[in-house]
Amino acid sequence: MEFKSLLNIESNFRQLRLYSLVFAGICTVITLIAVWKSYSFAEAQRQKIYVLDNGKSLLLALSQDLSQNRPVEAREHVRRFHELFFSLSPDKAAIESNINRALLMADKSALTYYKVLMEKGFFNRLIAGNISQIVKVDSIKCDFERYPYEVTTYARQRIMRESNITERSLVTTCRLVNSVRSDNNPQGFMLENLNIIENKDLTTYDR
């Protein structure tokens, strides 16, 4: 009887040890899963951008990998600069507003070009002749293999006078460097060494 009792105690001890090992294994698995989930959640949170809408509502903009977005942001920066800098209306206040916004996105090379146009009386003739100038960017070629990024922009200008419309080609080159993001520069780039390598008439037709 005592021998059978000892066997039962030993059997119970083995079962208890087995249950303990199984329980410890389950706890380990649960802990590892919790740690992995927490890490994944933290990484997901890092890929989110919070935007304040006039200080009132909080909008959540999910972003992709920032390195993947940089080429898109670079092209948008260049496109927006050209639209602001080269699209002009026969209104002094509108011209100054657009040019000032464009100059916040570029270095002194753009300012130098603007001053040259002012000295030649370009903007005064534009206003006096009631001439509008609209730029449409056709394509932007960016080289992201080297930094600063080399950019070539191909665009068309439409110069609208009271009697006719002139279509012109516009080709520019520049460099892009990373900069601090701000309300005036949301893409976080600075355009440097602006150079206009082609700006010639293509066709003119009556209105």
Side-chain angles (χ1 to χ4, degrees), residues 83-128:
E83 289 177 350
L84 290 171
F85 195 81
F86 293 101
S87 292
L88 305 170
S89 61
D91 182 280
K92 183 178 180 181
I95 291 174
E96 291 179 351
S97 175
N98 281 358
I99 293 295
N100 288 335
R101 290 164 63 190
L103 292 178
L104 293 173
M105 305 169 68
D107 71 347
K108 63 181 181 180
S109 62
L111 178 60
T112 300
Y113 182 72
Y114 170 63
K115 289 181 177 179
V116 169
L117 292 179
M118 283 189 63
E119 292 174 358
K120 291 182 177 180
F122 173 78
F123 300 106
N124 291 333
R125 293 197 302 272
L126 200 75
I127 296 171

mmCIF file of all heavy atoms in Angstrom, residues 83-128:
data_model
loop_
_atom_site.group_PDB
_atom_site.id
_atom_site.type_symbol
_atom_site.label_atom_id
_atom_site.label_comp_id
_atom_site.label_asym_id
_atom_site.label_seq_id
_atom_site.Cartn_x
_atom_site.Cartn_y
_atom_site.Cartn_z
ATOM 1 N N GLU A 83 5.162 77.505 -61.029
ATOM 2 C CA GLU A 83 3.834 78.101 -61.176
ATOM 3 C C GLU A 83 3.771 79.474 -60.533
ATOM 4 O O GLU A 83 3.190 80.413 -61.093
ATOM 5 C CB GLU A 83 2.771 77.181 -60.570
ATOM 6 C CG GLU A 83 2.531 75.910 -61.371
ATOM 7 C CD GLU A 83 1.519 74.999 -60.699
ATOM 8 O OE1 GLU A 83 1.166 75.275 -59.531
ATOM 9 O OE2 GLU A 83 1.073 74.033 -61.338
ATOM 10 N N LEU A 84 4.362 79.615 -59.349
ATOM 11 C CA LEU A 84 4.331 80.898 -58.653
ATOM 12 C C LEU A 84 5.249 81.922 -59.315
ATOM 13 O O LEU A 84 4.906 83.106 -59.420
ATOM 14 C CB LEU A 84 4.735 80.716 -57.190
ATOM 15 C CG LEU A 84 3.752 79.976 -56.294
ATOM 16 C CD1 LEU A 84 4.383 79.688 -54.929
ATOM 17 C CD2 LEU A 84 2.468 80.778 -56.115
ATOM 18 N N PHE A 85 6.416 81.487 -59.752
ATOM 19 C CA PHE A 85 7.433 82.414 -60.243
ATOM 20 C C PHE A 85 7.175 82.864 -61.685
ATOM 21 O O PHE A 85 7.443 84.022 -62.033
ATOM 22 C CB PHE A 85 8.814 81.762 -60.144
ATOM 23 C CG PHE A 85 9.952 82.729 -60.269
ATOM 24 C CD1 PHE A 85 10.359 83.491 -59.181
ATOM 25 C CD2 PHE A 85 10.629 82.889 -61.468
ATOM 26 C CE1 PHE A 85 11.412 84.398 -59.291
ATOM 27 C CE2 PHE A 85 11.687 83.781 -61.588
ATOM 28 C CZ PHE A 85 12.076 84.547 -60.491
ATOM 29 N N PHE A 86 6.650 81.980 -62.521
ATOM 30 C CA PHE A 86 6.521 82.292 -63.939
ATOM 31 C C PHE A 86 5.080 82.563 -64.382
ATOM 32 O O PHE A 86 4.883 83.015 -65.506
ATOM 33 C CB PHE A 86 7.106 81.155 -64.779
ATOM 34 C CG PHE A 86 8.596 81.012 -64.642
ATOM 35 C CD1 PHE A 86 9.143 80.028 -63.833
ATOM 36 C CD2 PHE A 86 9.452 81.865 -65.314
ATOM 37 C CE1 PHE A 86 10.519 79.885 -63.710
ATOM 38 C CE2 PHE A 86 10.834 81.735 -65.198
ATOM 39 C CZ PHE A 86 11.370 80.750 -64.385
ATOM 40 N N SER A 87 4.093 82.277 -63.555
ATOM 41 C CA SER A 87 2.711 82.615 -63.893
ATOM 42 C C SER A 87 2.410 84.007 -63.354
ATOM 43 O O SER A 87 2.433 84.226 -62.137
ATOM 44 C CB SER A 87 1.735 81.589 -63.301
ATOM 45 O OG SER A 87 1.871 80.342 -63.929
ATOM 46 N N LEU A 88 2.140 84.941 -64.259
ATOM 47 C CA LEU A 88 1.996 86.341 -63.882
ATOM 48 C C LEU A 88 0.712 86.920 -64.467
ATOM 49 O O LEU A 88 0.290 86.550 -65.561
ATOM 50 C CB LEU A 88 3.197 87.156 -64.380
ATOM 51 C CG LEU A 88 4.577 86.649 -63.950
ATOM 52 C CD1 LEU A 88 5.668 87.395 -64.704
ATOM 53 C CD2 LEU A 88 4.755 86.824 -62.447
ATOM 54 N N SER A 89 0.124 87.850 -63.740
ATOM 55 C CA SER A 89 -1.053 88.568 -64.206
ATOM 56 C C SER A 89 -0.746 90.060 -64.218
ATOM 57 O O SER A 89 0.161 90.509 -63.519
ATOM 58 C CB SER A 89 -2.248 88.276 -63.287
ATOM 59 O OG SER A 89 -1.968 88.716 -61.961
ATOM 60 N N PRO A 90 -1.504 90.834 -64.986
ATOM 61 C CA PRO A 90 -1.223 92.277 -65.073
ATOM 62 C C PRO A 90 -1.707 93.035 -63.841
ATOM 63 O O PRO A 90 -2.485 93.987 -63.938
ATOM 64 C CB PRO A 90 -1.979 92.698 -66.338
ATOM 65 C CG PRO A 90 -3.110 91.746 -66.432
ATOM 66 C CD PRO A 90 -2.576 90.436 -65.919
ATOM 67 N N ASP A 91 -1.249 92.585 -62.689
ATOM 68 C CA ASP A 91 -1.619 93.210 -61.421
ATOM 69 C C ASP A 91 -0.390 93.214 -60.517
ATOM 70 O O ASP A 91 0.145 92.151 -60.194
ATOM 71 C CB ASP A 91 -2.770 92.437 -60.772
ATOM 72 C CG ASP A 91 -3.225 93.063 -59.474
ATOM 73 O OD1 ASP A 91 -2.563 92.833 -58.438
ATOM 74 O OD2 ASP A 91 -4.233 93.798 -59.488
ATOM 75 N N LYS A 92 0.045 94.406 -60.118
ATOM 76 C CA LYS A 92 1.282 94.528 -59.357
ATOM 77 C C LYS A 92 1.222 93.762 -58.044
ATOM 78 O O LYS A 92 2.182 93.058 -57.678
ATOM 79 C CB LYS A 92 1.578 96.007 -59.089
ATOM 80 C CG LYS A 92 2.894 96.229 -58.364
ATOM 81 C CD LYS A 92 3.173 97.716 -58.159
ATOM 82 C CE LYS A 92 4.492 97.916 -57.427
ATOM 83 N NZ LYS A 92 4.776 99.362 -57.201
ATOM 84 N N ALA A 93 0.118 93.862 -57.328
ATOM 85 C CA ALA A 93 -0.008 93.181 -56.033
ATOM 86 C C ALA A 93 0.033 91.671 -56.207
ATOM 87 O O ALA A 93 0.663 90.960 -55.417
ATOM 88 C CB ALA A 93 -1.300 93.603 -55.335
ATOM 89 N N ALA A 94 -0.643 91.152 -57.246
ATOM 90 C CA ALA A 94 -0.652 89.707 -57.494
ATOM 91 C C ALA A 94 0.741 89.220 -57.873
ATOM 92 O O ALA A 94 1.181 88.146 -57.443
ATOM 93 C CB ALA A 94 -1.657 89.369 -58.589
ATOM 94 N N ILE A 95 1.452 90.008 -58.697
ATOM 95 C CA ILE A 95 2.809 89.634 -59.089
ATOM 96 C C ILE A 95 3.719 89.561 -57.873
ATOM 97 O O ILE A 95 4.451 88.580 -57.675
ATOM 98 C CB ILE A 95 3.364 90.641 -60.118
ATOM 99 C CG1 ILE A 95 2.618 90.511 -61.441
ATOM 100 C CG2 ILE A 95 4.863 90.404 -60.333
ATOM 101 C CD1 ILE A 95 2.999 91.572 -62.468
ATOM 102 N N GLU A 96 3.693 90.587 -57.040
ATOM 103 C CA GLU A 96 4.551 90.618 -55.859
ATOM 104 C C GLU A 96 4.214 89.493 -54.892
ATOM 105 O O GLU A 96 5.116 88.894 -54.289
ATOM 106 C CB GLU A 96 4.420 91.977 -55.173
ATOM 107 C CG GLU A 96 5.024 93.125 -55.963
ATOM 108 C CD GLU A 96 4.859 94.460 -55.269
ATOM 109 O OE1 GLU A 96 4.127 94.508 -54.245
ATOM 110 O OE2 GLU A 96 5.458 95.451 -55.731
ATOM 111 N N SER A 97 2.924 89.197 -54.750
ATOM 112 C CA SER A 97 2.518 88.119 -53.839
ATOM 113 C C SER A 97 3.057 86.777 -54.304
ATOM 114 O O SER A 97 3.638 86.017 -53.518
ATOM 115 C CB SER A 97 0.999 88.071 -53.746
ATOM 116 O OG SER A 97 0.576 86.971 -52.957
ATOM 117 N N ASN A 98 2.886 86.464 -55.587
ATOM 118 C CA ASN A 98 3.361 85.185 -56.112
ATOM 119 C C ASN A 98 4.884 85.089 -56.074
ATOM 120 O O ASN A 98 5.446 84.045 -55.697
ATOM 121 C CB ASN A 98 2.874 84.998 -57.551
ATOM 122 C CG ASN A 98 1.422 84.547 -57.618
ATOM 123 O OD1 ASN A 98 0.784 84.342 -56.584
ATOM 124 N ND2 ASN A 98 0.905 84.420 -58.818
ATOM 125 N N ILE A 99 5.556 86.173 -56.470
ATOM 126 C CA ILE A 99 7.021 86.156 -56.484
ATOM 127 C C ILE A 99 7.566 85.978 -55.071
ATOM 128 O O ILE A 99 8.509 85.195 -54.843
ATOM 129 C CB ILE A 99 7.576 87.440 -57.115
ATOM 130 C CG1 ILE A 99 7.229 87.501 -58.607
ATOM 131 C CG2 ILE A 99 9.083 87.524 -56.921
ATOM 132 C CD1 ILE A 99 7.886 86.425 -59.443
ATOM 133 N N ASN A 100 7.005 86.680 -54.109
ATOM 134 C CA ASN A 100 7.474 86.561 -52.720
ATOM 135 C C ASN A 100 7.295 85.149 -52.194
ATOM 136 O O ASN A 100 8.158 84.626 -51.470
ATOM 137 C CB ASN A 100 6.737 87.560 -51.832
ATOM 138 C CG ASN A 100 7.185 88.987 -52.074
ATOM 139 O OD1 ASN A 100 8.295 89.230 -52.524
ATOM 140 N ND2 ASN A 100 6.320 89.943 -51.786
ATOM 141 N N ARG A 101 6.197 84.509 -52.521
ATOM 142 C CA ARG A 101 5.970 83.126 -52.096
ATOM 143 C C ARG A 101 6.963 82.188 -52.758
ATOM 144 O O ARG A 101 7.465 81.240 -52.137
ATOM 145 C CB ARG A 101 4.537 82.708 -52.410
ATOM 146 C CG ARG A 101 3.487 83.406 -51.545
ATOM 147 C CD ARG A 101 2.100 83.254 -52.137
ATOM 148 N NE ARG A 101 1.683 81.861 -52.187
ATOM 149 C CZ ARG A 101 0.588 81.446 -52.851
ATOM 150 N NH1 ARG A 101 -0.153 82.316 -53.527
ATOM 151 N NH2 ARG A 101 0.265 80.182 -52.831
ATOM 152 N N ALA A 102 7.261 82.447 -54.034
ATOM 153 C CA ALA A 102 8.223 81.605 -54.751
ATOM 154 C C ALA A 102 9.626 81.772 -54.190
ATOM 155 O O ALA A 102 10.385 80.797 -54.077
ATOM 156 C CB ALA A 102 8.204 81.944 -56.242
ATOM 157 N N LEU A 103 9.988 83.008 -53.815
ATOM 158 C CA LEU A 103 11.343 83.268 -53.313
ATOM 159 C C LEU A 103 11.594 82.574 -51.979
ATOM 160 O O LEU A 103 12.757 82.325 -51.618
ATOM 161 C CB LEU A 103 11.569 84.773 -53.172
ATOM 162 C CG LEU A 103 11.618 85.565 -54.487
ATOM 163 C CD1 LEU A 103 11.806 87.044 -54.211
ATOM 164 C CD2 LEU A 103 12.717 85.047 -55.397
ATOM 165 N N LEU A 104 10.543 82.250 -51.236
ATOM 166 C CA LEU A 104 10.699 81.511 -49.985
ATOM 167 C C LEU A 104 11.068 80.049 -50.232
ATOM 168 O O LEU A 104 11.483 79.351 -49.312
ATOM 169 C CB LEU A 104 9.405 81.576 -49.165
ATOM 170 C CG LEU A 104 9.025 82.964 -48.624
ATOM 171 C CD1 LEU A 104 7.635 82.910 -47.989
ATOM 172 C CD2 LEU A 104 10.049 83.437 -47.607
ATOM 173 N N MET A 105 10.929 79.602 -51.474
ATOM 174 C CA MET A 105 11.213 78.220 -51.827
ATOM 175 C C MET A 105 12.552 78.063 -52.539
ATOM 176 O O MET A 105 12.930 76.962 -52.920
ATOM 177 C CB MET A 105 10.089 77.676 -52.723
ATOM 178 C CG MET A 105 8.699 77.818 -52.122
ATOM 179 S SD MET A 105 7.379 77.467 -53.307
ATOM 180 C CE MET A 105 7.605 75.705 -53.550
ATOM 181 N N ALA A 106 13.262 79.177 -52.747
ATOM 182 C CA ALA A 106 14.494 79.133 -53.541
ATOM 183 C C ALA A 106 15.564 80.000 -52.897
ATOM 184 O O ALA A 106 15.302 80.785 -51.982
ATOM 185 C CB ALA A 106 14.211 79.599 -54.970
ATOM 186 N N ASP A 107 16.782 79.880 -53.436
ATOM 187 C CA ASP A 107 17.894 80.681 -52.916
ATOM 188 C C ASP A 107 17.995 81.996 -53.695
ATOM 189 O O ASP A 107 17.095 82.365 -54.459
ATOM 190 C CB ASP A 107 19.197 79.882 -52.965
ATOM 191 C CG ASP A 107 19.703 79.686 -54.389
ATOM 192 O OD1 ASP A 107 18.931 79.947 -55.348
ATOM 193 O OD2 ASP A 107 20.862 79.278 -54.553
ATOM 194 N N LYS A 108 19.117 82.691 -53.542
ATOM 195 C CA LYS A 108 19.264 84.022 -54.121
ATOM 196 C C LYS A 108 19.337 84.008 -55.646
ATOM 197 O O LYS A 108 19.228 85.069 -56.279
ATOM 198 C CB LYS A 108 20.508 84.702 -53.553
ATOM 199 C CG LYS A 108 21.810 83.985 -53.890
ATOM 200 C CD LYS A 108 23.003 84.714 -53.272
ATOM 201 C CE LYS A 108 24.321 84.024 -53.612
ATOM 202 N NZ LYS A 108 25.477 84.735 -53.010
ATOM 203 N N SER A 109 19.537 82.850 -56.269
ATOM 204 C CA SER A 109 19.581 82.802 -57.731
ATOM 205 C C SER A 109 18.240 83.219 -58.326
ATOM 206 O O SER A 109 18.185 83.892 -59.356
ATOM 207 C CB SER A 109 19.964 81.402 -58.219
ATOM 208 O OG SER A 109 19.000 80.440 -57.808
ATOM 209 N N ALA A 110 17.142 82.831 -57.676
ATOM 210 C CA ALA A 110 15.817 83.245 -58.142
ATOM 211 C C ALA A 110 15.613 84.738 -57.912
ATOM 212 O O ALA A 110 15.044 85.441 -58.757
ATOM 213 C CB ALA A 110 14.734 82.447 -57.426
ATOM 214 N N LEU A 111 16.085 85.246 -56.779
ATOM 215 C CA LEU A 111 15.982 86.673 -56.492
ATOM 216 C C LEU A 111 16.785 87.488 -57.498
ATOM 217 O O LEU A 111 16.332 88.557 -57.950
ATOM 218 C CB LEU A 111 16.469 86.953 -55.072
ATOM 219 C CG LEU A 111 16.471 88.420 -54.618
ATOM 220 C CD1 LEU A 111 15.062 88.998 -54.671
ATOM 221 C CD2 LEU A 111 17.060 88.546 -53.220
ATOM 222 N N THR A 112 17.957 87.010 -57.867
ATOM 223 C CA THR A 112 18.787 87.707 -58.856
ATOM 224 C C THR A 112 18.074 87.796 -60.202
ATOM 225 O O THR A 112 18.056 88.848 -60.854
ATOM 226 C CB THR A 112 20.138 86.981 -59.023
ATOM 227 O OG1 THR A 112 20.821 86.969 -57.768
ATOM 228 C CG2 THR A 112 20.992 87.654 -60.074
ATOM 229 N N TYR A 113 17.456 86.700 -60.616
ATOM 230 C CA TYR A 113 16.733 86.694 -61.887
ATOM 231 C C TYR A 113 15.548 87.655 -61.826
ATOM 232 O O TYR A 113 15.265 88.375 -62.786
ATOM 233 C CB TYR A 113 16.264 85.272 -62.196
ATOM 234 C CG TYR A 113 15.551 85.139 -63.507
ATOM 235 C CD1 TYR A 113 16.246 85.230 -64.715
ATOM 236 C CD2 TYR A 113 14.183 84.917 -63.552
ATOM 237 C CE1 TYR A 113 15.586 85.112 -65.930
ATOM 238 C CE2 TYR A 113 13.513 84.800 -64.762
ATOM 239 C CZ TYR A 113 14.222 84.906 -65.949
ATOM 240 O OH TYR A 113 13.562 84.790 -67.146
ATOM 241 N N TYR A 114 14.866 87.693 -60.686
ATOM 242 C CA TYR A 114 13.729 88.603 -60.501
ATOM 243 C C TYR A 114 14.192 90.059 -60.598
ATOM 244 O O TYR A 114 13.538 90.890 -61.246
ATOM 245 C CB TYR A 114 13.068 88.323 -59.156
ATOM 246 C CG TYR A 114 12.031 89.330 -58.733
ATOM 247 C CD1 TYR A 114 10.873 89.522 -59.482
ATOM 248 C CD2 TYR A 114 12.206 90.097 -57.583
ATOM 249 C CE1 TYR A 114 9.912 90.451 -59.097
ATOM 250 C CE2 TYR A 114 11.257 91.021 -57.186
ATOM 251 C CZ TYR A 114 10.112 91.196 -57.948
ATOM 252 O OH TYR A 114 9.171 92.111 -57.559
ATOM 253 N N LYS A 115 15.319 90.387 -59.976
ATOM 254 C CA LYS A 115 15.829 91.756 -60.027
ATOM 255 C C LYS A 115 16.229 92.157 -61.444
ATOM 256 O O LYS A 115 16.039 93.314 -61.848
ATOM 257 C CB LYS A 115 17.021 91.900 -59.082
ATOM 258 C CG LYS A 115 16.639 91.860 -57.600
ATOM 259 C CD LYS A 115 17.870 92.040 -56.715
ATOM 260 C CE LYS A 115 17.476 92.084 -55.247
ATOM 261 N NZ LYS A 115 18.677 92.244 -54.366
ATOM 262 N N VAL A 116 16.785 91.233 -62.207
ATOM 263 C CA VAL A 116 17.149 91.517 -63.600
ATOM 264 C C VAL A 116 15.905 91.871 -64.411
ATOM 265 O O VAL A 116 15.901 92.829 -65.204
ATOM 266 C CB VAL A 116 17.887 90.318 -64.220
ATOM 267 C CG1 VAL A 116 18.031 90.490 -65.736
ATOM 268 C CG2 VAL A 116 19.252 90.142 -63.579
ATOM 269 N N LEU A 117 14.834 91.101 -64.210
ATOM 270 C CA LEU A 117 13.579 91.388 -64.923
ATOM 271 C C LEU A 117 13.013 92.746 -64.519
ATOM 272 O O LEU A 117 12.484 93.485 -65.359
ATOM 273 C CB LEU A 117 12.557 90.278 -64.643
ATOM 274 C CG LEU A 117 12.858 88.898 -65.236
ATOM 275 C CD1 LEU A 117 11.768 87.905 -64.843
ATOM 276 C CD2 LEU A 117 12.979 88.970 -66.752
ATOM 277 N N MET A 118 13.125 93.065 -63.239
ATOM 278 C CA MET A 118 12.634 94.367 -62.770
ATOM 279 C C MET A 118 13.422 95.502 -63.409
ATOM 280 O O MET A 118 12.855 96.510 -63.844
ATOM 281 C CB MET A 118 12.733 94.445 -61.245
ATOM 282 C CG MET A 118 11.664 93.682 -60.502
ATOM 283 S SD MET A 118 11.684 94.041 -58.730
ATOM 284 C CE MET A 118 11.289 95.789 -58.711
ATOM 285 N N GLU A 119 14.734 95.367 -63.453
ATOM 286 C CA GLU A 119 15.577 96.418 -64.037
ATOM 287 C C GLU A 119 15.301 96.614 -65.526
ATOM 288 O O GLU A 119 15.428 97.724 -66.055
ATOM 289 C CB GLU A 119 17.049 96.075 -63.814
ATOM 290 C CG GLU A 119 17.487 96.150 -62.352
ATOM 291 C CD GLU A 119 18.904 95.667 -62.148
ATOM 292 O OE1 GLU A 119 19.528 95.238 -63.150
ATOM 293 O OE2 GLU A 119 19.392 95.705 -61.003
ATOM 294 N N LYS A 120 14.902 95.556 -66.198
ATOM 295 C CA LYS A 120 14.582 95.656 -67.621
ATOM 296 C C LYS A 120 13.160 96.162 -67.863
ATOM 297 O O LYS A 120 12.751 96.317 -69.023
ATOM 298 C CB LYS A 120 14.762 94.296 -68.292
ATOM 299 C CG LYS A 120 16.223 93.837 -68.372
ATOM 300 C CD LYS A 120 16.328 92.500 -69.085
ATOM 301 C CE LYS A 120 17.784 92.074 -69.228
ATOM 302 N NZ LYS A 120 17.912 90.762 -69.933
ATOM 303 N N GLY A 121 12.395 96.370 -66.792
ATOM 304 C CA GLY A 121 11.039 96.877 -66.931
ATOM 305 C C GLY A 121 10.039 95.838 -67.392
ATOM 306 O O GLY A 121 8.971 96.177 -67.907
ATOM 307 N N PHE A 122 10.386 94.555 -67.210
ATOM 308 C CA PHE A 122 9.521 93.483 -67.701
ATOM 309 C C PHE A 122 8.141 93.527 -67.055
ATOM 310 O O PHE A 122 7.113 93.434 -67.743
ATOM 311 C CB PHE A 122 10.192 92.132 -67.431
ATOM 312 C CG PHE A 122 9.325 90.949 -67.743
ATOM 313 C CD1 PHE A 122 9.152 90.523 -69.058
ATOM 314 C CD2 PHE A 122 8.673 90.252 -66.730
ATOM 315 C CE1 PHE A 122 8.342 89.430 -69.351
ATOM 316 C CE2 PHE A 122 7.865 89.169 -67.016
ATOM 317 C CZ PHE A 122 7.702 88.758 -68.324
ATOM 318 N N PHE A 123 8.078 93.682 -65.764
ATOM 319 C CA PHE A 123 6.795 93.648 -65.064
ATOM 320 C C PHE A 123 5.961 94.890 -65.367
ATOM 321 O O PHE A 123 4.728 94.803 -65.467
ATOM 322 C CB PHE A 123 7.029 93.506 -63.556
ATOM 323 C CG PHE A 123 7.769 92.266 -63.183
ATOM 324 C CD1 PHE A 123 9.100 92.328 -62.790
ATOM 325 C CD2 PHE A 123 7.165 91.023 -63.248
ATOM 326 C CE1 PHE A 123 9.794 91.176 -62.449
ATOM 327 C CE2 PHE A 123 7.851 89.861 -62.914
ATOM 328 C CZ PHE A 123 9.174 89.944 -62.514
ATOM 329 N N ASN A 124 6.608 96.037 -65.533
ATOM 330 C CA ASN A 124 5.873 97.256 -65.899
ATOM 331 C C ASN A 124 5.235 97.114 -67.276
ATOM 332 O O ASN A 124 4.090 97.550 -67.499
ATOM 333 C CB ASN A 124 6.813 98.464 -65.870
ATOM 334 C CG ASN A 124 7.251 98.815 -64.456
ATOM 335 O OD1 ASN A 124 6.543 98.534 -63.488
ATOM 336 N ND2 ASN A 124 8.420 99.420 -64.340
ATOM 337 N N ARG A 125 5.969 96.525 -68.222
ATOM 338 C CA ARG A 125 5.404 96.304 -69.562
ATOM 339 C C ARG A 125 4.254 95.311 -69.502
ATOM 340 O O ARG A 125 3.268 95.439 -70.247
ATOM 341 C CB ARG A 125 6.495 95.803 -70.510
ATOM 342 C CG ARG A 125 7.578 96.829 -70.816
ATOM 343 C CD ARG A 125 8.375 96.420 -72.051
ATOM 344 N NE ARG A 125 8.985 95.108 -71.891
ATOM 345 C CZ ARG A 125 10.183 94.903 -71.353
ATOM 346 N NH1 ARG A 125 10.891 95.945 -70.890
ATOM 347 N NH2 ARG A 125 10.689 93.688 -71.251
ATOM 348 N N LEU A 126 4.377 94.331 -68.640
ATOM 349 C CA LEU A 126 3.323 93.336 -68.490
ATOM 350 C C LEU A 126 2.030 93.994 -68.012
ATOM 351 O O LEU A 126 0.943 93.715 -68.536
ATOM 352 C CB LEU A 126 3.775 92.268 -67.483
ATOM 353 C CG LEU A 126 3.054 90.916 -67.514
ATOM 354 C CD1 LEU A 126 3.517 90.099 -68.710
ATOM 355 C CD2 LEU A 126 3.346 90.140 -66.230
ATOM 356 N N ILE A 127 2.170 94.862 -67.028
ATOM 357 C CA ILE A 127 1.000 95.535 -66.461
ATOM 358 C C ILE A 127 0.419 96.536 -67.459
ATOM 359 O O ILE A 127 -0.799 96.599 -67.673
ATOM 360 C CB ILE A 127 1.370 96.231 -65.130
ATOM 361 C CG1 ILE A 127 1.789 95.185 -64.097
ATOM 362 C CG2 ILE A 127 0.212 97.069 -64.619
ATOM 363 C CD1 ILE A 127 2.388 95.786 -62.830
ATOM 364 N N ALA A 128 1.299 97.303 -68.086
ATOM 365 C CA ALA A 128 0.838 98.323 -69.031
ATOM 366 C C ALA A 128 0.155 97.706 -70.249
ATOM 367 O O ALA A 128 -0.826 98.256 -70.778
ATOM 368 C CB ALA A 128 2.023 99.181 -69.489
#
